[in-house]
């Protein structure tokens, strides 16, 4: 008979509580279309979308950079669901076709059998709403997670009113809950143009489009139309700081003048939302024309994980070939125009100086003399820059926003400091849960009995904890008899 | 005479050994297949309360000195609370407290109210517990880097992304370590490569029985700092970091096939079972959000005890069998002693010699059930 270790994980992980032929993550245009197509093909389909996002998450800029410019409307989830259905009519079609639609539901973990995870009984997706988490099984998973905001910091970016273009689009278009009136838009590419057009359509003022390069980067006709509508387009710009008061941003300072505004919208770029796929171990590639790191896809859109496909913007953003170089130019301008104590990571209050100096966090108190001599340069002498290693030392990227607000700027700063081209910037991995989820929500309250029966603090090896002097004495047997299998409950 | 010692494995045990040797004036080179401390050394709970070990007294002497000795912060904090939610746990912890006292380590039985005064996130349902005035915890990531930097400050060399491919022997001694960067000559070698150690030793005819397994942890966003942040119980080990995050692990492990190279270390839905136990133990933190999970690969000997031994004349083995981080200040000291003198200067560690496994049945993993699950 085969002997099994009672404290091993084998047989303890639960089966999913429900199973669907196809699960689609993300009810944007491509996700909803994929769900409809699967339903028309006679499949059982679950379509999940994290919108409406809980206000607590919005306040920590998850999943988009909302910059605390939400109105109180986001506090009423029922109204938000209505707004969502109104703004995405295709969802009605999906529902009529029998697609099970789960709104306000985030996909926080994807698990597929692989080396090191042989105990997983089936591929499964972890879901959570405001009150509970659960696991669902699938034959086919289509990830249509969209994109998130590219965030680069400058002095004053850590106050309400500094936000991302996707966060703004969500508050305006999806939630009708934007609290600003007058926006300075950073960037002049198509994302910035789209942002400006949307803002004007919602009756907002635009202080200017601000561009770091010498010429506007977007479609010429659309740029001209904005200029004709009275929107200033400033090129060769250097951004020095944002100033404001209790309600956040009031002014944006450029090299030689300032713009009055209550919102500064970063519309420099967007980043494929690969976190669910990356945390699951999907193979990635760097595609400079598609927004950076994207899943490596077969011709049919399948990722390296069997049965898992990626579509829409999480599979790559349509952009110009020099997307990464463009970002690097912005990052370089910000670095030159801002003092070294500019915050890079808001959650952990890490400054650019601390990051490049690989200095420990300030809450540890005065820094010992030896560490003052350590810098990124001394680390680079040991090998290429490793964002995960630097994250552990400085804590940049270790906070509750899960690195969404600093990941790209940390990568850009490290690449610049190490003299690496933008496409070789160090990448840091993603970890489940890819959304911050309260302990009580993530918890498995319906745990199968086998889990508790075979649970030990460590490996369930009583011999491991026998005091050295008692090894091979009668006292060892006594300890084992009294403490049982788990020597260290 | 200064000898050149090559240490294979820049984990916490190898780095501590390198640091002890370097500060004694020896030339050291540390090799690692990746970045310093990238595997289990930086993925553990940071606990430093391993009363059972013959290295523990030396570890306890050293930990409060380590920031000064290394020159870099380790975030070491002394003391720990173990809180019981069930009568069975309380009886168990009281037995442990008696055992600690017999070993000479100050421990108090404490009532529920005192548990909660020391660690206010603990459940009102806490029945009582024990307070350790010894042990403690540190930050594994900061500590491994501290050993690495301190080794360099003493003139040691650390070669990252440089796996040891094999050992060259002559006259019954290891004379060099082969790497992708070429052959590195040595007077002695230390094998502290965790799960990879067995494969390095096998060509020398040295059989080191090891089985690798994957273990998981989760971490929350920060909570206000508790007077005692090292609080265990409810089947968990872990700590509140000095930043305030709650980092906890425990529960079942997954045995892995023995393979070369970087092990795969995905996390699993076990995160949910960990989250539940943390929420039960520390219900005042139940609303705190989990922001990461991770896994590490742990090497285990058949009895779960370390192998600290010098064999084959100049080959020293440093395997801690899954309990290496907390003991690292002392394990490096012991291993450095073995390299230079052939014996540990501060403790009897004879029961940790490799020879205890002589005659071990070839199917020792099978008879313990220490092999991977059938693929689903």
């Amino acid at each position: 008979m085969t002997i099994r270790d009672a404290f091993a994980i084998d047989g303890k992980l639960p089966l999913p509580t429900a199973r669907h032929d196809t699960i689609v993550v993300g009810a944007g245009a491509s996700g909803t279309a994929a769900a409809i197509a699967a339903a028309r093909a006679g499949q059982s389909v679950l379509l999940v979308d994290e919108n409406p996002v809980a206000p607590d998450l919005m306040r920590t800029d998850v999943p988009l950079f909302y910059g605390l410019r939400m109105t109180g409307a986001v506090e009423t989830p029922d109204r938000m669901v209505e707004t969502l259905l109104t703004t995405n009519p295709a969802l009605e079609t999906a529902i009529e076709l029998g697609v099970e639609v789960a709104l306000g539901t985030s996909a926080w973990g994807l698990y597929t059998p692989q080396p090191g995870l042989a105990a997983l009984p089936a591929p499964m997706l972890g879901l959570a709403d405001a009150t509970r988490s659960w696991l669902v099984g699938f034959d086919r998973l289509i990830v249509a997670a969209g994109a998130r905001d590219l965030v680069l910091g400058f002095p004053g970016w850590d106050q309400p009113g500094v936000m991302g273009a996707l966060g703004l689009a969500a508050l305006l278009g999806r939630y009708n809950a934007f609290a600003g009136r007058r926006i300075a838009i950073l960037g002049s590419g198509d994302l910035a143009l789209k942002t400006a057009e949307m803002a004007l359509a919602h009756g907002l003022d635009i202080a200017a489009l601000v561009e770091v390069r010498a010429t506007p980067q977007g479609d010429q006709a659309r740029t001209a139309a904005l200029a004709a509508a009275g929107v200033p387009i400033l090129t060769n710009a250097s951004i020095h700081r944002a100033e404001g008061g209790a309600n956040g941003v009031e002014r944006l300072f450029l090299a030689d003048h300032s713009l009055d505004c209550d919102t500064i919208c970063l519309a420099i770029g967007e980043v494929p939302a690969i976190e669910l796929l990356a945390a699951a171990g999907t193979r990635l590639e760097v595609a400079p024309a598609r927004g950076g790191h994207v899943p490596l896809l077969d011709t049919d859109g399948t990722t390296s994980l069997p049965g898992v496909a990626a579509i829409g913007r999480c599979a790559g953003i349509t952009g110009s070939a020099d997307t990464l170089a463009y970002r690097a130019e912005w990052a370089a301008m910000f670095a030159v125009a801002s003092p070294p104590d500019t915050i890079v990571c808001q959650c952990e209050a890490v400054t650019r100086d601390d990051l490049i100096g690989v200095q420990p966090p300030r809450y540890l108190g005065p820094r010992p003399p030896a560490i003052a001599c350590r810098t990124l340069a001394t680390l680079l002498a040991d090998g290429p820059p490793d964002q995960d290693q630097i994250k552990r030392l400085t804590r940049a990227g270790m906070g509750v926003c899960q690195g969404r607000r600093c990941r790209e700027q940390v990568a850009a700063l490290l690449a610049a400091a190490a003299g690496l081209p933008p496409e070789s910037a160090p990448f840091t991995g993603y970890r489940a849960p890819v959304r911050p989820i309260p302990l009580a929500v993530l918890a498995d309250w319906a745990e199968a009995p086998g889990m508790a029966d075979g649970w030990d603090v460590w490996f369930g090896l009583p011999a491991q904890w026998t005091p050295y002097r008692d090894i091979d004495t009668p006292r060892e047997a006594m300890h084992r008899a009294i403490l049982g299998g788990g020597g260290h409950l | 005479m200064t000898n050149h010692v090559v240490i294979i494995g820049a984990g916490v045990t190898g780095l501590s050994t390198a640091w002890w040797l370097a500060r004694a004036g020896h030339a050291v080179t540390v090799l690692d297949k990746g970045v310093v401390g990238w595997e289990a050394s930086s993925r553990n709970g940071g606990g430093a309360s391993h009363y059972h070990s013959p290295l523990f007294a030396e570890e306890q002497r050293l930990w409060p000195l380590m920031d000064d000795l290394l020159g870099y912060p380790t975030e070491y904090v002394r003391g720990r609370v173990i809180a019981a939610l069930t009568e069975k746990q309380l009886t168990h912890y009281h037995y442990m407290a008696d055992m600690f006292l017999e070993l000479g380590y100050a421990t108090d039985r404490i009532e529920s109210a005192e548990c909660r005064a020391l660690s206010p996130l603990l459940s009102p349902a806490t029945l009582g517990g024990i307070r350790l005035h010894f042990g403690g915890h540190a930050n594994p990531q900061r500590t491994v880097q501290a050993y690495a930097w301190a080794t360099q400050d003493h003139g040691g060399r650390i070669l990252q992304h440089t796996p040891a491919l094999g050992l060259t022997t002559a006259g019954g001694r290891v004379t060099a370590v082969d790497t992708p960067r070429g052959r590195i000559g040595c007077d002695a070698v230390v094998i502290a490569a965790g799960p990879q150690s067995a494969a390095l030793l096998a060509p020398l005819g040295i059989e080191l029985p090891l089985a690798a397994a994957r273990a998981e942890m989760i971490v929350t966003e920060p909570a206000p700092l508790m007077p005692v942040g090292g609080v265990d119980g409810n089947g968990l080990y872990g700590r509140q970091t000095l930043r305030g995050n709650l980092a906890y692990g425990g529960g079942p492990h997954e045995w892995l096939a023995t393979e070369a190279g970087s092990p795969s270390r995905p996390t699993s839905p076990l995160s949910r079972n960990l989250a539940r136990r943390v929420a039960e133990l520390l219900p005042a933190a139940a609303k705190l959000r989990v922001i990461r999970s991770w896994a590490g690969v742990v090497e285990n000997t058949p009895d779960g005890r370390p192998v600290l031994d010098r064999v084959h004349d100049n080959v020293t083995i440093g395997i801690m069998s899954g309990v290496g981080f907390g003991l690292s200040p002392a394990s490096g000291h012991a291993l450095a002693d073995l390299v230079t003198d052939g014996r540990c200067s501060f403790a009897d560690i004879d029961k940790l010699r490799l020879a205890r496994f002589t005659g071990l049945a070839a199917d020792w993993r099978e008879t313990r059930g220490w092999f991977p699950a059938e693929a689903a």
Side-chain angles (χ1 to χ4, degrees):
Chain A
M1 200 185 97
T2 309
I3 298 164
R4 304 305 306 180
D5 170 8
F7 297 105
I9 199 167
D10 317 17
K12 297 198 174 86
L13 292 175
L15 280 164
T17 46
R19 212 200 128 274
H20 305 267
D21 295 334
T22 293
I23 299 178
V24 182
V25 174
S30 50
T32 309
I36 288 171
R40 288 205 164 117
Q43 298 194 325
S44 65
V45 184
L46 173 67
L47 172 61
V48 300
D49 195 288
E50 63 192 315
N51 291 290
V53 174
D56 270 355
L57 281 185
M58 290 186 132
R59 283 190 277 272
T60 48
D61 295 318
V62 177
L64 303 175
F65 190 25
Y66 305 101
L68 290 174
R69 273 290 178 259
M70 304 81 80
T71 63
V74 299
E75 307 287 342
T76 53
D78 291 349
R79 174 189 169 276
M80 302 316 303
V81 169
E82 261 176 52
T83 315
L84 273 174
L85 291 170
T86 329
T87 53
N88 185 4
L91 269 182
E92 295 280 7
T93 313
I95 293 165
E96 281 160 20
L97 287 167
V99 172
E100 188 183 329
V101 177
L103 298 178
T105 302
S106 62
W108 52 265
L110 166 61
Y111 303 99
T112 61
Q114 56 180 289
L117 201 46
L120 193 76
M124 58 184 84
L125 183 70
L127 299 178
D129 61 20
T131 59
R132 68 182 187 113
S133 75
W134 65 100
L135 300 163
V136 286
F138 55 85
D139 272 359
R140 193 166 63 121
L141 175 70
I142 300 173
V143 180
R148 60 182 176 82
D149 285 301
L150 171 76
V151 184
L152 300 172
F154 50 90
W157 76 290
D158 53 339
Q159 63 187 317
V162 180
M163 66 186 308
L166 302 181
L168 177 63
L171 292 186
L172 282 176
R174 190 182 287 145
Y175 292 120
N176 194 15
F178 176 60
R181 289 295 319 157
R182 183 174 166 82
I183 311 172
I185 296 174
L186 307 190
S188 69
D190 288 343
L191 178 66
L193 298 180
K194 193 170 136 188
T195 304
E197 289 157 0
M198 188 175 196
L200 290 179
H202 280 80
L204 301 168
D205 295 332
I206 299 177
L209 257 63
V210 183
E211 172 55 46
V212 72
R213 284 184 171 169
T215 55
Q217 298 294 298
D219 177 81
Q220 287 189 4
R222 289 165 69 194
T223 308
L226 282 176
V231 174
I233 297 170
L234 313 174
T235 53
N236 275 325
S238 172
I239 285 160
H240 284 228
R241 67 188 184 280
E243 282 186 1
N247 292 319
V249 171
E250 291 169 0
R251 232 161 284 107
L252 175 65
F253 285 83
L254 306 178
D256 45 12
H257 68 295
S258 69
L259 299 168
D260 287 336
C261 56
D262 56 38
T263 300
I264 298 169
C265 179
L266 288 149
I268 296 161
E270 44 191 332
V271 181
I274 60 168
E275 50 265 46
L276 183 68
L277 291 166
T282 311
R283 286 186 63 198
L284 304 174
E285 61 173 328
V286 182
R290 290 195 285 140
H293 284 84
V294 291
L296 192 63
L297 298 179
D298 286 351
T299 45
D300 65 351
T302 305
T303 68
S304 63
L305 302 178
V308 179
I311 61 170
R313 287 182 300 167
C314 73
I317 289 156
T318 316
S320 66
D322 74 342
T323 298
L324 296 187
Y326 180 60
R327 283 183 201 170
E329 281 175 51
W330 273 95
M333 179 276 291
F334 283 132
V336 168
S338 63
D341 64 352
T342 302
I343 292 287
V344 169
C345 168
Q346 286 192 29
C347 296
E348 301 294 311
V350 180
T351 66
R352 191 176 76 229
D353 229 10
D354 291 345
L355 176 75
I356 300 303
V358 292
Q359 293 298 302
R362 288 168 193 274
Y363 60 80
L364 290 182
R367 291 166 176 168
I371 205 150
C373 307
R374 292 287 170 178
T375 66
L376 182 62
T378 67
L379 266 195
L380 292 178
D382 299 336
D386 184 312
Q387 189 172 170
D388 281 309
Q389 182 187 24
I390 290 157
K391 181 166 120 175
R392 293 164 161 203
L393 297 173
T394 63
R395 293 197 61 81
M398 299 280 266
V400 71
C401 85
Q402 300 180 311
R404 285 178 177 79
R405 294 183 292 207
C406 71
R407 177 182 284 270
E408 282 72 31
Q409 55 179 320
V410 167
L413 288 167
L414 294 178
L420 294 172
E423 63 273 18
S424 304
F427 176 74
T428 173
Y430 291 88
R431 308 277 178 74
V434 297
R435 295 291 182 271
I437 299 183
L439 282 166
V441 173
L442 185 61
D444 181 3
W445 295 107
E447 192 178 273
M451 182 63 83
D453 295 345
W455 186 286
D456 190 80
V457 167
W458 195 225
F459 276 74
L461 297 177
Q464 186 157 42
W465 308 105
T466 304
Y468 182 79
R469 67 183 187 190
D470 294 341
I471 292 174
D472 300 331
T473 72
R475 290 175 59 84
E476 178 167 17
M478 178 187 75
H479 294 318
R480 288 200 199 197
I482 293 170
L483 294 175
H488 186 66
L489 249 188
Chain B
M1 195 186 99
T2 301
N3 289 310
H4 181 217
V5 185
V6 172
I7 292 120
I8 302 175
V12 75
T13 305
L15 287 169
S16 176
T17 308
W19 173 68
W20 278 95
L21 288 166
R23 66 199 287 264
H26 299 280
V28 299
T29 300
V30 187
L31 308 179
D32 199 276
K33 63 181 171 53
V35 175
V36 295
W38 186 244
E39 298 291 350
S41 295
S42 64
R43 295 165 181 271
N44 59 82
S49 310
H50 303 112
Y51 62 88
H52 62 283
S53 172
L55 306 174
F56 189 60
E58 173 71 352
E59 181 232 85
Q60 288 291 288
R61 180 186 74 83
L62 287 165
W63 263 120
L65 312 174
M66 289 307 280
D67 283 22
D68 286 339
L69 291 174
L70 295 169
Y72 302 93
T74 64
E75 300 188 30
Y76 177 72
V77 177
R78 177 146 283 180
R80 193 161 272 275
V81 166
I82 307 180
L85 299 181
T86 66
E87 288 292 348
K88 184 179 172 227
Q89 289 169 357
L90 192 61
T91 308
H92 189 113
Y93 300 156
H94 284 166
Y95 183 86
M96 286 167 61
D98 293 343
M99 197 162 65
F100 300 158
L101 286 168
E102 271 188 39
L103 291 166
Y105 301 121
T107 311
D108 300 330
R109 293 186 181 199
I110 54 175
E111 301 297 322
S112 174
E114 191 176 351
C115 290
R116 293 166 62 204
L118 295 171
S119 303
L121 295 174
L122 276 169
S123 170
T126 301
L127 296 178
I130 60 176
R131 181 180 189 182
L132 284 57
H133 295 282
F134 63 96
H137 56 88
N139 179 328
Q141 301 173 344
R142 219 169 283 295
T143 302
V144 284
Q145 193 68 53
Y147 281 122
W149 281 340
T151 299
Q152 290 176 329
D153 291 343
H154 285 292
R157 184 165 62 139
I158 293 170
L159 301 177
Q160 298 188 134
H161 309 290
T162 309
L165 303 174
L167 306 174
T168 299
T169 55
R173 294 168 62 83
V174 171
T175 55
V177 179
D178 297 313
T179 80
R181 296 195 190 193
R183 180 164 286 185
I184 299 173
C186 62
D187 299 301
V189 66
V190 177
I191 313 288
Q196 278 82 41
S197 301
L200 284 165
L201 289 164
L204 302 183
I206 300 169
E207 204 171 321
L208 175 63
L210 286 181
R214 184 181 60 76
E216 302 186 33
M217 295 192 75
I218 59 171
V219 67
T220 70
E221 65 184 304
L225 286 183
M226 299 187 285
V228 175
V231 50
D232 292 334
N234 205 30
L236 300 167
Y237 63 88
R239 74 190 202 284
Q240 180 176 42
T241 69
L242 296 190
R243 170 73 173 98
N245 311 74
L246 304 172
Y248 277 90
H253 47 272
E254 175 154 338
W255 293 104
L256 305 176
T258 307
E259 55 192 59
S262 274
S264 170
R265 36 179 153 60
T267 56
S268 79
L270 187 69
S271 294
R272 300 177 69 224
N273 309 91
L274 288 167
R276 172 186 177 146
R277 282 163 179 74
V278 179
E280 287 169 344
L281 179 69
L282 307 168
K287 286 185 177 167
L288 289 185
R289 292 168 289 199
V290 179
I291 55 176
R292 279 185 296 284
S293 65
W294 67 90
V297 174
V298 176
E299 85 286 1
N300 289 268
T301 64
D303 57 13
R305 295 171 185 154
V307 174
L308 301 175
D309 202 356
R310 194 168 101 182
V311 295
H312 215 73
D313 193 27
N314 67 343
V315 178
T316 300
I317 301 172
I319 288 296
M320 293 302 290
S321 193
V323 186
F325 175 74
L327 293 165
S328 63
S331 62
H333 189 184
L335 288 164
D337 285 349
L338 289 179
V339 171
T340 55
D341 307 324
R343 58 178 298 277
C344 176
S345 63
F346 60 86
D348 161 30
I349 56 171
D350 281 351
K351 293 178 195 172
L352 304 180
R353 302 196 66 162
L354 179 60
R356 70 183 188 274
F357 297 122
T358 306
L360 183 74
D363 63 349
W364 69 274
R365 287 188 68 163
E366 284 74 11
T367 56
R368 287 166 174 77
W370 289 11
F371 51 88
E374 301 296 322

